[in-house]
Amino acid sequence: MSQHRKRPEKQTRRTRGLITGAVAVTVAAGVGLGLWTGHDDSAPAGSAQAETQAGADRHAPSQSASAAAPRQNPTPSPTRSYALSTTPRTIPAVRAHTPARGPGWRPAAGRRVVVNDAGLADEGRLVAGELGLTYAGKKDDVRAGDVRLALDHGAGAAPESYRMTVRGGRVDISGPDDAGVFYGTRTLKQEVHGGGTAPEGVVRDQPAKPVRGFSLDMARKSFTAGWIEDRVRELGDLKYNRLQLHFSDDQGFRIASDSHPEIVSKQHLTKAQVRKIVALAAQRHITVVPEIDSPGHLGAVIAAHPELQLRSAAGNAPQGTIDISKPAAAQIVDDLLKEYADLFPGSDWHLGGDEYRALMVSNPAATYPQLAAAAQKAYGAGGTVADLTTGWLNDRADTVRAAGKTPLAWNDGFFRGTSVRPAGDIRVAYWTGKEIGARQPVEYLSAGRKVVNYNDEFLYYVLGQPNKFFYPRGQRIYEQWTPRVVRGTTAVSSKYDGQILGGYFAVWCDFPNAQTQDQVAAGVRMPLRATAQKLWDPRKPALTWTQFKALGDRLG
């Protein structure tokens, strides 16, 4: 059935008279939401094609009843004119919007979500359910009110990018991959939130950084599966694509293990619960990244295997520190890395590597002679404890690499002046510059390493606020941080921007009872949104913090 577009504001009386009959038919037909839309969205409102169609409809048989009525002088028909649309307000903000005139789009019962590729079924079903629409699957026909999702493998489109066109009473979202299409549906969802309207025009959007993450310390504090699932949904709507689970530390080991059930804490997630989290995350294009930290932070493992505890020449036993001179230490960690490789099918794996207490003393060789002896045996007379520890990291990288994973390690797991060099593909998770012998980010970047930003000055939410950590409120991230601010408050040179893959906002539970999990969710709410904005677009935001916070409150 033909429908009618709105007419331009400036019309002659003669033209308005010609379309009076057509208006009567259109209004009687009850076009969706009372707005006129064209049958061909390539013809703009007021175009010659639209005017010709209106003239044809004036003589249609359905108007016979009107023709039989007494003749009257033509009177102006009601018209609607639309201001040029404004850029949608979303979190993160869209990178570009081309405005247009038109009514925009709102969801309504009976409207469809259709796809051009069966691979978009998950995205289609999700947004249809969220907006109260009907998922119609793969269709080629076009109907008023449709939301069409399409894969478009055109040359030059960036990964995770999308284009969203609102025109002619319909929405078209396309991208080179399903992740980009998904992000387009997140933009649409925010635009119509609370009864809003998706503005007419074209959004062209893509992230600045390929790694946009949230890291959760669930080892020190047990979080429920339901709470983590809620964060996955929140992260997906904010266009994050990584969730890191730090599930092993001194205070607990929080995922069931078949190879070493003796190390698992009483409060833990079952593998079925983890699979559900991973599946939910995959539906939202989020990779779940496991972290089993070693050779430090292994207190839960050592509690079940005290024979693996590192001891100094004086008999001291530093907390959570495994003795890497013992082959059994490597065996148990490798057992765990191999066991969880299938549970976490994503490509990223965090190996930890931070705060190995054997290297946090003034003379490691004298304090831990067994480590010095093992280093010399492995690497010759000049071998050091730092060499031995670097070799440990490389060996663990070999283990996860064999399972198809890309290794990541904390920056204080990389040491200066060692004869053994960390493998070149191990990415640097830069979190602090407070450690002994701290190295500036530029040392890693100038060596060609890829870096992921966990800057503890801005991005660390530490329960109990120990060691001069303060809960970030979001404003400081929003106004001062960018992915190039890797350490402290100073940005590295823009020439390294391509090596900085992105960043993570991190929750650490040093004092697990300082907040409930609901308080944590509330506390990280605006910091997560601020971080999402700066990872998606590191430029100065268009909104002030007050406006951004109000937007966050409105969108929920």
Side-chain angles (χ1 to χ4, degrees):
M1 180 182 75
S2 295
Q3 296 174 324
H4 302 274
R5 289 185 177 275
K6 69 178 182 62
R7 302 299 186 259
E9 185 175 7
K10 294 183 179 179
Q11 281 184 315
T12 65
R13 182 180 297 276
R14 178 176 177 275
T15 303
R16 289 197 296 267
L18 287 174
I19 66 171
T20 303
V23 169
V25 173
T26 303
V27 173
V31 175
L33 299 180
L35 304 176
W36 298 339
T37 58
H39 75 290
D40 180 356
D41 63 15
S42 65
S47 68
Q49 180 175 339
E51 295 292 346
T52 301
Q53 184 64 47
D57 284 353
R58 180 171 176 268
H59 301 289
S62 60
Q63 305 225 25
S64 58
S66 296
R71 287 181 176 274
Q72 296 180 356
N73 291 330
T75 58
S77 64
T79 63
R80 294 192 181 195
S81 62
Y82 299 97
L84 204 61
S85 63
T86 58
T87 301
R89 288 195 168 184
T90 60
I91 298 176
V94 300
R95 301 289 293 268
H97 176 252
T98 303
R101 299 182 188 276
W105 181 91
R106 299 174 73 178
R111 290 186 166 180
R112 307 184 306 173
V113 175
V114 297
V115 300
N116 79 335
D117 189 293
L120 293 173
D122 283 349
E123 291 75 18
R125 289 192 180 96
L126 179 62
V127 74
E130 291 169 331
L131 302 186
L133 308 177
T134 299
Y135 177 65
K138 187 177 178 180
K139 300 288 183 183
D140 294 325
D141 64 314
V142 176
R143 294 185 188 176
D146 275 355
V147 174
R148 177 171 290 274
L149 310 183
L151 289 176
D152 179 5
H153 301 292
E160 299 186 292
S161 65
Y162 68 92
R163 172 182 173 136
M164 182 169 72
T165 302
V166 179
R167 183 173 60 190
R170 299 193 300 274
V171 179
D172 290 284
I173 299 172
S174 62
D177 51 39
D178 50 358
V181 174
F182 171 73
Y183 298 138
T185 69
R186 300 307 85 193
T187 295
L188 180 64
K189 179 183 176 183
Q190 290 192 33
E191 287 176 336
V192 302
H193 176 80
T197 299
E200 205 85 2
V202 181
V203 168
R204 293 177 178 84
D205 203 12
Q206 66 184 68
K209 293 298 179 182
V211 174
R212 306 177 302 281
F214 173 59
S215 178
L216 178 65
D217 173 11
M218 55 176 283
R220 294 180 178 93
K221 182 179 180 69
S222 178
F223 290 86
T224 65
W227 189 93
I228 297 172
E229 289 169 10
D230 286 343
R231 300 290 74 71
V232 168
R233 296 182 183 95
E234 181 179 17
L235 295 172
D237 283 352
L238 295 171
K239 300 171 184 163
Y240 281 90
N241 63 1
R242 297 290 195 282
L243 169 63
Q244 180 174 317
L245 297 180
H246 176 90
F247 64 91
S248 169
D249 212 304
D250 298 341
Q251 295 80 1
F253 192 99
R254 303 290 181 181
I255 295 178
S257 171
D258 298 318
S259 64
H260 292 281
E262 72 280 2
I263 69 174
V264 178
S265 301
K266 182 177 180 180
Q267 289 183 305
H268 67 272
L269 299 182
T270 66
K271 287 189 175 180
Q273 288 174 316
V274 174
R275 290 188 185 98
K276 185 179 177 184
I277 291 167
V278 169
L280 183 68
Q283 186 187 42
R284 286 157 170 79
H285 297 276
I286 296 170
T287 297
V288 182
V289 181
E291 182 192 354
I292 299 178
D293 203 344
S294 78
H297 295 281
L298 282 171
V301 172
I302 293 169
H305 293 274
E307 71 278 5
L308 300 180
Q309 169 70 57
L310 177 67
R311 295 187 181 277
S312 70
N316 297 320
Q319 183 182 24
T321 309
I322 205 164
D323 188 338
I324 61 175
S325 70
K326 296 182 176 181
Q331 182 63 54
I332 194 169
V333 173
D334 281 348
D335 287 347
L336 296 169
L337 296 177
K338 292 173 183 177
E339 176 182 356
Y340 294 110
D342 291 335
L343 187 62
F344 297 98
S347 62
D348 294 1
W349 195 292
H350 203 305
L351 295 171
D354 64 314
E355 297 179 325
Y356 187 48
R357 293 181 182 271
L359 290 168
M360 297 172 69
V361 295
S362 58
N363 191 335
T367 306
Y368 302 102
Q370 73 274 39
L371 298 183
Q376 292 171 9
K377 180 179 179 181
Y379 305 113
T384 65
V385 177
D387 286 325
L388 189 69
T389 309
T390 302
W392 171 278
L393 178 66
N394 285 341
D395 289 345
R396 307 294 77 75
D398 287 343
T399 300
V400 300
R401 198 182 295 109
K405 314 296 184 182
T406 299
L408 181 73
W410 297 114
N411 61 285
D412 50 333
F414 296 76
F415 309 105
R416 278 194 190 99
T418 55
S419 60
V420 180
R421 309 299 296 167
D425 66 335
I426 303 177
R427 296 171 175 178
V428 179
Y430 200 103
W431 71 282
T432 189
K434 300 182 178 72
E435 76 278 9
I436 296 174
R439 300 167 68 186
Q440 293 286 344
V442 71
E443 290 192 42
Y444 303 98
L445 294 165
S446 62
R449 287 197 181 274
K450 294 179 179 179
V451 171
V452 181
N453 190 331
Y454 292 73
N455 188 334
D456 65 347
E457 179 80 14
F458 289 91
L459 306 178
Y460 265 33
Y461 191 97
V462 185
L463 297 197
Q465 303 184 105
N467 302 321
K468 297 183 180 180
F469 284 112
F470 302 100
Y471 296 132
R473 302 298 182 190
Q475 182 173 0
R476 193 159 171 256
I477 299 170
Y478 187 76
E479 294 177 345
Q480 300 179 30
W481 181 80
T482 75
R484 284 173 45 213
V485 180
V486 181
R487 169 177 169 170
T489 60
T490 303
V492 300
S493 170
S494 59
K495 70 181 181 180
Y496 296 120
D497 190 60
Q499 291 173 240
I500 300 171
L501 301 179
Y504 279 79
F505 184 86
V507 170
W508 295 102
C509 302
D510 292 39
F511 290 89
N513 296 323
Q515 290 188 344
T516 66
Q517 63 178 17
D518 290 339
Q519 288 174 321
V520 172
V524 303
R525 187 176 170 278
M526 286 310 299
L528 273 177
R529 282 150 179 78
T531 306
Q533 174 61 44
K534 302 305 282 289
L535 288 169
W536 193 265
D537 186 350
R539 298 173 298 180
K540 182 179 179 180
L543 302 183
T544 66
W545 170 252
T546 299
Q547 292 170 326
F548 184 81
K549 186 175 184 303
L551 177 62
D553 291 341
R554 180 175 69 80
L555 293 176

